[in-house]
Amino acid sequence: MSERFSPSGTLGAMHIETIAPPDLDWQEEALCAQTGSDFFFPEPGSSVREAKRICALCPIRSACLEYALDHDERFGVWGGLSEKERLELRRAAH
Ligand code: SF4
Protein backbone atom coordinates (compact mmCIF):
# COMPACT_ATOMS: atom_id res chain seq x y z
CA MET A 1 0.00 0.00 0.00
CA SER A 2 1.61 3.19 -1.10
CA GLU A 3 -0.77 5.71 0.50
CA ARG A 4 -0.16 5.27 4.22
CA PHE A 5 -1.55 8.56 5.47
CA SER A 6 -4.76 10.25 4.60
CA PRO A 7 -4.31 14.02 4.16
CA SER A 8 -7.93 14.77 4.93
CA GLY A 9 -7.90 13.10 8.34
CA THR A 10 -10.24 10.34 7.31
CA LEU A 11 -9.73 6.62 7.00
CA GLY A 12 -6.76 5.16 5.17
CA ALA A 13 -6.60 4.72 1.44
CA MET A 14 -8.40 1.43 1.07
CA HIS A 15 -11.11 2.41 3.50
CA ILE A 16 -11.65 5.64 1.58
CA GLU A 17 -12.05 3.85 -1.73
CA THR A 18 -14.92 1.79 -0.40
CA ILE A 19 -16.92 4.55 1.27
CA ALA A 20 -19.25 7.00 -0.43
CA PRO A 21 -18.78 10.69 0.51
CA PRO A 22 -22.04 11.08 2.52
CA ASP A 23 -20.79 8.38 4.89
CA LEU A 24 -17.50 10.07 5.67
CA ASP A 25 -18.54 12.44 8.49
CA TRP A 26 -18.15 9.92 11.29
CA GLN A 27 -14.63 9.09 10.16
CA GLU A 28 -13.03 12.38 11.08
CA GLU A 29 -11.91 10.91 14.39
CA ALA A 30 -10.68 7.65 12.89
CA LEU A 31 -7.39 6.64 14.46
CA CYS A 32 -6.43 4.61 11.42
CA ALA A 33 -6.27 7.85 9.45
CA GLN A 34 -3.28 8.74 11.60
CA THR A 35 -1.57 5.37 11.49
CA GLY A 36 -2.09 4.45 7.84
CA SER A 37 -4.08 1.57 6.45
CA ASP A 38 -1.31 -1.05 6.25
CA PHE A 39 -2.12 -2.40 9.69
CA PHE A 40 -5.75 -2.76 8.72
CA PHE A 41 -5.22 -4.63 5.47
CA PRO A 42 -2.32 -6.96 6.31
CA GLU A 43 -0.96 -9.55 3.94
CA PRO A 44 -2.74 -12.92 4.20
CA GLY A 45 -1.59 -14.74 7.30
CA SER A 46 -0.15 -11.60 8.91
CA SER A 47 -1.12 -10.48 12.37
CA VAL A 48 -4.02 -8.09 12.90
CA ARG A 49 -3.03 -7.52 16.52
CA GLU A 50 -1.70 -4.02 15.95
CA ALA A 51 -4.81 -2.96 14.03
CA LYS A 52 -7.01 -4.31 16.82
CA ARG A 53 -4.96 -2.48 19.42
CA ILE A 54 -5.52 0.80 17.56
CA CYS A 55 -9.22 0.09 17.06
CA ALA A 56 -9.60 -0.52 20.80
CA LEU A 57 -8.57 3.10 21.38
CA CYS A 58 -10.62 4.56 18.54
CA PRO A 59 -13.56 6.81 19.51
CA ILE A 60 -15.65 5.74 16.53
CA ARG A 61 -15.14 2.03 16.83
CA SER A 62 -18.86 1.21 17.09
CA ALA A 63 -19.79 3.33 14.07
CA CYS A 64 -16.96 1.79 12.09
CA LEU A 65 -18.02 -1.75 12.89
CA GLU A 66 -21.64 -0.95 12.14
CA TYR A 67 -20.62 0.53 8.79
CA ALA A 68 -18.56 -2.53 7.90
CA LEU A 69 -21.40 -4.89 8.79
CA ASP A 70 -24.00 -2.80 6.97
CA HIS A 71 -21.85 -2.60 3.84
CA ASP A 72 -20.65 -6.18 4.01
CA GLU A 73 -16.99 -5.17 4.03
CA ARG A 74 -15.11 -8.41 3.39
CA PHE A 75 -11.51 -7.30 3.73
CA GLY A 76 -9.42 -5.83 6.48
CA VAL A 77 -9.98 -4.91 10.10
CA TRP A 78 -12.96 -2.68 10.77
CA GLY A 79 -14.19 -1.65 14.20
CA GLY A 80 -11.67 -3.92 15.87
CA LEU A 81 -12.83 -7.09 14.16
CA SER A 82 -11.06 -9.08 11.48
CA GLU A 83 -12.88 -10.30 8.37
CA LYS A 84 -13.26 -13.72 9.95
CA GLU A 85 -14.65 -12.28 13.18
CA ARG A 86 -17.16 -10.13 11.28
CA LEU A 87 -18.26 -13.16 9.31
CA GLU A 88 -18.78 -15.11 12.54
CA LEU A 89 -20.72 -12.18 13.99
CA ARG A 90 -22.98 -12.06 10.93
CA ARG A 91 -23.57 -15.81 11.11
CA ALA A 92 -24.37 -15.64 14.82
CA ALA A 93 -26.92 -12.88 14.17
CA HIS A 94 -28.90 -15.04 11.73
S1 SF4 B 1 -12.30 1.38 14.65
FE1 SF4 B 1 -10.34 0.86 13.73
S2 SF4 B 1 -10.73 0.66 11.51
FE2 SF4 B 1 -12.46 1.73 12.43
S3 SF4 B 1 -12.03 3.90 12.20
FE3 SF4 B 1 -11.27 3.29 14.22
S4 SF4 B 1 -9.13 2.73 13.94
FE4 SF4 B 1 -10.10 2.79 11.90
Side-chain angles (χ1 to χ4, degrees):
M1 179 101 29
S2 59
E3 184 69 37
R4 285 196 58 123
F5 298 97
S6 172
S8 61
T10 54
L11 291 179
M14 284 195 66
H15 285 83
I16 283 283
E17 290 165 7
T18 61
I19 297 174
D23 293 328
L24 287 171
D25 287 355
W26 58 270
Q27 296 174 21
E28 290 178 359
E29 297 179 76
L31 285 186
C32 54
Q34 298 164 37
T35 62
S37 57
D38 288 4
F39 291 129
F40 299 86
F41 296 96
E43 295 293 320
S46 299
S47 173
V48 294
R49 188 170 59 184
E50 189 62 20
K52 289 177 150 199
R53 190 184 68 77
I54 296 166
C55 290
L57 302 171
C58 182
I60 59 166
R61 183 178 171 210
S62 297
C64 178
L65 178 58
E66 189 177 322
Y67 178 92
L69 294 172
D70 286 351
H71 292 80
D72 199 21
E73 292 289 350
R74 297 288 170 98
F75 302 103
V77 174
W78 291 76
L81 296 186
S82 67
E83 351 180 307
K84 185 179 171 192
E85 291 167 333
R86 290 195 308 279
L87 182 61
E88 288 169 357
L89 191 62
R90 268 196 296 269
R91 284 182 178 154
H94 293 293

